Amino acid sequence: MARNRRVFSQNFLTDRHALDLIVKAAEPEGLILEPGPGEGVLTRALSHAGASVIAYEIDPRLAARLAASTRDDPRIQVRRGDFARAFPPREPFAVVGNIPYSATSRIVGWCLRAPGMTAATLLTQLEYARKRTGDYGRWSLLTVASWPWYGWRLGDRVSRRSFHPVPSVDSAILRIERRRRPLVRDGRAYRELVELGFRGVGGSVRASLRPHYRGVDAALAAAGIGRDTVVGYVHPDQWVTLFLRLHQ
């Protein structure tokens, strides 16, 4: 089992309080997909809260054990395989999971691409959750590019001592919620603007965008963005305002 943990980057949640924090943040109902259920502690908690859970476990031994121990619960299905390669359901669903640090980017990317996903509540590495939610005072390209469709929120911090084996860093609950209505209509044009801004020259958002758009200075003023503001320090809401001004 120790070898399997290394291969699959498994750190099992053992703290009941941390488990309760995840369930509270997830507000489980309807259909939930769970990446990496491990021993099924969170799986059972979600089921007991009234949700129907499809749990994807890549470790064949754990998948078999979990399927056997939950076979009497009609609300739980265990599927052996890689969650990030699964086809999303056609019906609306949420994602909830204590996910492996090494698979975080793949799982988050899958969530953002899934048409029917309403929300994702993920226990991730603390640094990742802080980076994606602007808690360092800077904003990442992924968050800004997805902002018109998804809100990102930093939840409770979870100590590394809440896991076995104990990882080297703390975790945090990351909440990603699909907006009922997108903040922009032309998604392609919005992403083009953001990508130009993040890969542009000169450091500031103004220097990055002026060669490509007219009226940049007026749009920056309308969005409350200083002329020398570095791209990473522009809030996602300011990016939306900037886009709407440049495409009006």
Side-chain angles (χ1 to χ4, degrees), residues 18-28 42 45-46 49 96 121 173:
L19 179 66
D20 291 341
L21 290 176
I22 299 172
V23 174
K24 181 180 179 181
E27 300 178 345
L42 178 57
L46 294 170
V96 183
T121 306
I173 298 172

Side-chain angles (χ1 to χ4, degrees), residues 51-220:
S52 296
V53 185
I54 302 177
Y56 290 84
E57 178 54 60
I58 198 170
D59 184 330
R61 293 184 181 181
L62 284 176
R65 287 172 53 188
L66 183 58
S69 65
T70 59
R71 61 189 173 191
D72 293 330
D73 189 340
R75 294 183 297 270
I76 296 176
Q77 297 180 46
V78 179
R79 298 183 181 176
R80 176 184 167 185
D82 185 351
F83 171 84
R85 294 186 177 182
F87 289 102
R90 293 183 179 181
E91 63 186 287
F93 66 93
V95 176
V96 183
N98 166 31
I99 61 178
Y101 293 157
S102 61
T104 300
S105 294
R106 293 177 63 232
I107 291 173
V108 169
W110 186 98
C111 290
L112 296 178
R113 293 189 300 270
M117 194 202 76
T118 58
T121 306
L122 306 172
L123 190 58
T124 73
Q125 187 174 353
L126 175 62
E127 181 181 3
Y128 182 90
R130 294 188 64 189
K131 180 180 178 180
R132 294 294 180 233
T133 56
D135 198 53
Y136 289 115
R138 294 178 60 93
W139 295 91
S140 71
L141 171 59
L142 179 63
T143 307
V144 174
S146 63
W147 192 258
W149 301 273
Y150 294 97
W152 297 68
R153 187 172 75 245
L154 178 64
D156 290 292
R157 183 169 178 163
V158 175
S159 169
R160 68 194 73 182
R161 292 184 293 274
S162 297
F163 301 89
H164 179 77
V166 178
S168 59
V169 295
D170 291 338
S171 295
I173 298 172
L174 173 64
R175 176 77 172 175
I176 307 171
E177 295 183 6
R178 183 186 293 274
R179 302 187 190 280
R180 292 187 178 182
R181 294 182 180 179
L183 303 179
V184 303
R185 291 184 179 180
D186 191 337
R188 177 179 294 183
Y190 174 81
R191 293 187 186 96
E192 181 181 82
L193 169 76
V194 171
E195 289 171 1
L196 280 172
F198 271 83
R199 71 168 181 257
V201 297
S204 71
V205 65
R206 179 174 184 263
S208 299
L209 297 181
R210 284 193 73 192
H212 305 281
Y213 297 91
R214 294 182 178 180
V216 168
D217 286 346
L220 290 171

